[in-house]
Amino acid sequence: MIKHLDSTTSAKIANALIDIRKEAGAATTGAVLTLVIETDERHHYYALRAAREASRAHPSRILVVIPHPEQPFSGLDAEVRVGDEMGPGEAVVMRLNGELAAHADAVVLPLLLPDTPVVTWWPSESPTDPAESALGKLAMRRITDASGTHTPVPVADRLRGYSPGDTDLAWTRCTPWRSMLAAALDQMPSMVKTVKVTAEVDNASSTLLAVWLGWRLGVPVTLSTDTGPGITGVHLGTDKGEISLTRPDGMLAVLSMPEQPDRHVALKRRELADLLTEELRRLDVDETYEEVLRHVTEHDAAAIDKMQPTPPKKSTITMTAEPDKGPLGELPKESVEREEQLQNEAIDKPLDDAP
């Protein structure tokens, strides 16, 4: 059920949620947390769809805040969604116009579920210091996405604005890579001497993965760029040979280990809903992510050699043909006989008849 409220207030939105639940025959929401999303018109549909999918595993009250400070008038327009595709959760899409856009926390605060955790998510542009932002102060967990910004944010800048409870979906995208690489080293314990990570240009996940590998293994890391998509490979040089995990197509990866046959493993690039679902499983401090950020210093950044992608080589096809044979094999018998006949006629023909 969808209900539109124009020029409304937070109290009227709360009453509308209660009325819709009563009509649906539900006494309580069943939500275990409140997910606050601050985004723009361009990204709000995809963010709401991902949050709706994540709410199937983590029933939530979803509050989408879309600021419009450029509007000449101040007001609040809302869209309340309960049931149907929302599953067990409920959502409110709020557009804050004019001066009200600067007071999003005052609008959201009365709509928070009591005695439940609050998570704030910025799917596109995010504040420099999420914990000090208006909506970030309301949450115990704050999620950003370095890959969703128009301008790539250096990892070092994330460190300057970090507070316990912050995380980034760029780090979440590294989870399958970290799991498979750790499992590979468990199968073949060896001393890692060199590490090389390849990924597309300005990929925040590759930088975090490279820093994590350099920190945990204590070796220099080379970060090279290619055409992607995303992270395309990790190569570990060990005393027993090279261990490599490559994924050139973003779908299927190949794990190669010394003296073992290559194995194909599923390493598909995950959807936004899957990443959000993983982050909502834990509401405590991600200590590993915090340590990775703390290792992004000037010294560590200098240890990561960024290489420009090499231009692709031109591919050529060389075709050879033997006498009386075409490029695709031996010529047909009729063609050979016809060619000999034309040659004989040209020899027997009088010169006077020549053109």
Side-chain angles (χ1 to χ4, degrees), residues 101-315:
H103 306 281
D105 53 338
V107 177
V108 169
L109 186 59
L111 300 175
L112 301 179
L113 291 172
D115 302 323
T116 57
V118 179
V119 179
T120 302
W121 174 35
W122 293 270
S124 52
E125 302 296 333
S126 59
T128 306
D129 192 346
E132 293 299 322
S133 64
L135 295 179
K137 292 180 179 179
L138 302 176
M140 61 182 300
R141 189 91 159 126
R142 295 161 296 275
I143 305 174
T144 56
D145 191 355
S147 301
T149 58
H150 296 290
T151 304
V153 180
V155 181
D157 292 345
R158 296 285 176 184
L159 172 62
R160 298 186 186 98
Y162 174 81
S163 297
D166 293 353
T167 190
D168 198 287
L169 294 184
W171 173 246
T172 314
R173 293 182 178 93
C174 298
T175 303
W177 288 89
R178 294 190 294 128
S179 300
M180 290 190 179
L181 291 171
L185 290 176
D186 286 341
Q187 296 178 25
M188 181 176 290
S190 55
M191 180 65 68
V192 179
K193 298 180 179 179
T194 60
V195 177
K196 179 182 178 181
V197 179
T198 59
E200 61 183 336
V201 181
D202 294 329
N203 184 270
S205 299
S206 64
T207 304
L208 292 172
L209 181 61
V211 173
W212 176 75
L213 288 169
W215 163 49
R216 299 302 296 173
L217 299 175
V219 295
V221 180
T222 300
L223 179 60
S224 60
T225 56
D226 56 14
T227 57
I231 302 174
T232 55
V234 177
H235 304 267
L236 307 178
T238 71
D239 51 1
K240 298 181 181 179
E242 183 180 84
I243 299 176
S244 64
L245 181 62
T246 56
R247 186 192 62 181
D249 59 354
M251 297 286 292
L252 193 65
V254 179
L255 177 61
S256 301
M257 302 178 66
E259 300 179 357
Q260 294 187 18
D262 292 347
R263 283 171 285 182
H264 292 81
V265 293
L267 197 59
K268 180 182 177 181
R269 302 187 73 190
R270 294 183 292 172
E271 299 291 338
L272 189 59
D274 299 329
L275 300 173
L276 184 61
T277 301
E278 178 182 329
E279 282 302 327
L280 294 180
R281 290 195 187 106
R282 57 176 303 172
L283 300 178
D284 56 339
V285 178
D286 191 342
E287 297 177 353
T288 306
Y289 174 67
E290 181 178 355
E291 284 296 326
V292 167
L293 286 184
R294 295 192 186 281
H295 278 76
V296 183
T297 62
E298 294 182 358
H299 178 268
D300 292 324
I304 301 177
D305 301 325
K306 293 188 176 181
M307 302 171 58
Q308 295 298 325
T310 56
K313 297 180 179 180
K314 296 182 179 180
S315 62

Side-chain angles (χ1 to χ4, degrees), residues 340-351:
E340 292 178 351
Q341 182 180 356
L342 292 176
Q343 291 177 354
N344 294 334
E345 290 178 356
I347 294 174
D348 297 339
K349 189 175 183 180
L351 293 178

Side-chain angles (χ1 to χ4, degrees), residues 2-56:
I2 302 177
K3 187 174 183 179
H4 297 274
L5 301 173
D6 297 331
S7 300
T8 186
T9 62
S10 299
K12 292 180 180 179
I13 295 174
N15 292 332
L17 287 169
I18 296 174
D19 294 339
I20 293 176
R21 283 203 308 270
K22 288 182 178 179
E23 293 178 10
T28 59
T29 63
V32 298
L33 61 89
T34 302
L35 177 61
V36 181
I37 306 173
E38 185 177 11
T39 183
D40 52 20
E41 292 287 355
R42 178 183 177 184
H43 297 90
H44 91 277
Y45 171 78
Y46 301 100
L48 180 59
R49 185 174 64 179
R52 186 176 66 233
E53 292 296 326
S55 67
R56 300 184 185 278

Side-chain angles (χ1 to χ4, degrees), residues 45-86:
Y45 171 78
Y46 301 100
L48 180 59
R49 185 174 64 179
R52 186 176 66 233
E53 292 296 326
S55 67
R56 300 184 185 278
H58 311 282
S60 313
R61 171 176 286 184
I62 305 170
L63 305 177
V64 182
V65 178
I66 307 176
H68 285 285
E70 74 282 355
Q71 295 294 338
F73 57 90
S74 180
L76 172 62
D77 299 329
E79 182 181 293
V80 181
R81 295 170 174 262
V82 177
D84 296 334
E85 75 277 5
M86 285 307 305

